[in-house]
Amino acid sequence: MSATTLIVGCAVVTFAIKAAGPVALGGRPLPGWFSRVVTLLAPALLAALVATHVFADGHRLQVGAHTVGVAVAGIVMWRTRSLTWCVLTAAVVTAVLRLA
Amino acid sequence: MAKPNGVVERSSVRQVIAPAERQRFFAGLRAAIPFAVATGIVGLPFGLLAIEAGLSPWAAVVMSLVVYAGSAQFAAVSIVASGGAVSAAVVAAAMMNSRFLAMGAAFAPSLPGPAALRALQGQAVVDTSWAMALRPDGSFDRHYLFGATSIQYVTWAAGTAIGAFGYSFVPDVEALGLDAVFPAFFLALLIGEARTHLAAGVAVAGAVIALILVPFAPIGLPVLVAGTAALVGLRRRR
């Protein structure tokens, strides 16, 4: 059944990718430039992940109710620092906008 | 240390099992509780989507347990749900996960031990824990990371289970706005990360790079290439 192939396939590629860095580079000391780049990787990758989910659908650039929902959720996170309120706001605002 | 009774004996045995490490593990676990709650909420739409893709509820839960990579699971399952091939779904998962190559490379110098053990420890890397365990000098508190990951692992699987087994009670994923939950989660992480002007600038650059690539690059690649925005860190600080 294809579900098994899907799950095993995803598990194997994920394991291999997560293992690659630690196997190849484990236990070595850090050069100075390395840590400066690494601390900036998270904002770069997270922003890209958010942008591709909010402003794109597959290969098309587009916005929708969820764009507004996520934006409002961002404001909630910024003001309250509560991750739970942030994700709940995203769902509620998006759902209400889709009712209209 | 030299106290004269058996109680001390027992506590010193506990100390042999690395109390500092255990303390860091539970510190990470506690610090990750808000993330774990949110991860559980994000697991819900994943469970629903997995059923729409034709997985059984148990298969959905097993997938969350053995893959444990939210963005890759969403990417793979949405391809299958929209009628795409399983091979395309696995490739999309790999592409979506490619950012873990960079994160794993960063984590690697903080991992001692033989290669097989490092490979196993590398599995604990997820976006939240990775960011939480990163020290200002670029090294990682690995036990803190393991603690933070362990609690999110449990809630991710639990959220998936609730979504998957509760599928018949949910009328429409989009009508409930559940598709907005996942990007909101990552936006929240980003807001926590982008504290300096430099980090905020890199975030904007990463988003722009990704969106420029979206129309023609394979799914997942835009996010990996966006990581090059971090290379601005190569510039020497004055």
Side-chain angles (χ1 to χ4, degrees), chain A residues 14 18 22-23 28 59 98, chain B residues 97 109 118 125 174 179 217 233:
Chain A
T14 302
K18 284 189 177 180
V23 168
R28 307 233 181 110
H59 291 291
R98 282 185 184 144
Chain B
N97 276 336
R118 296 202 302 270
V125 171
E174 295 220 337
D179 54 322

Side-chain angles (χ1 to χ4, degrees), chain A residues 1 12 18 22 25 29 33 35 39 52 63 65 74 83 85 87 93 96 100:
Chain A
M1 166 53 188
V12 168
K18 284 189 177 180
L25 302 168
W33 60 265
S35 58
T39 49
T52 51
V63 294
L83 194 55
W85 282 117
V87 293
V93 170
V96 168

Side-chain angles (χ1 to χ4, degrees), chain A residues 7 14-15 17-18 21-23 25-28 34-36 38 42 45-50 53 59 70 74 83 90-91 94-95 98, chain B residues 35 59 68 94 97 105-106 108-109 111 118 123 125 130 137 174-177 179-180 182 184 186-188 191 203 214-215 217 223 226 233:
Chain A
I7 293 169
T14 302
F15 185 94
I17 288 168
K18 284 189 177 180
V23 168
L25 302 168
R28 307 233 181 110
F34 189 79
S35 58
R36 290 200 300 275
V38 165
L45 295 175
L46 290 171
L49 212 50
V50 173
H53 274 89
H59 291 291
V70 172
L83 194 55
T94 305
R98 282 185 184 144
Chain B
F35 295 102
Y68 188 41
N97 276 336
L111 291 176
R118 296 202 302 270
Q123 302 308 311
V125 171
W130 185 89
D137 67 352
E174 295 220 337
L176 292 179
D179 54 322
F182 182 72
F186 280 100
L187 179 60
I191 290 169
V214 154
V223 174

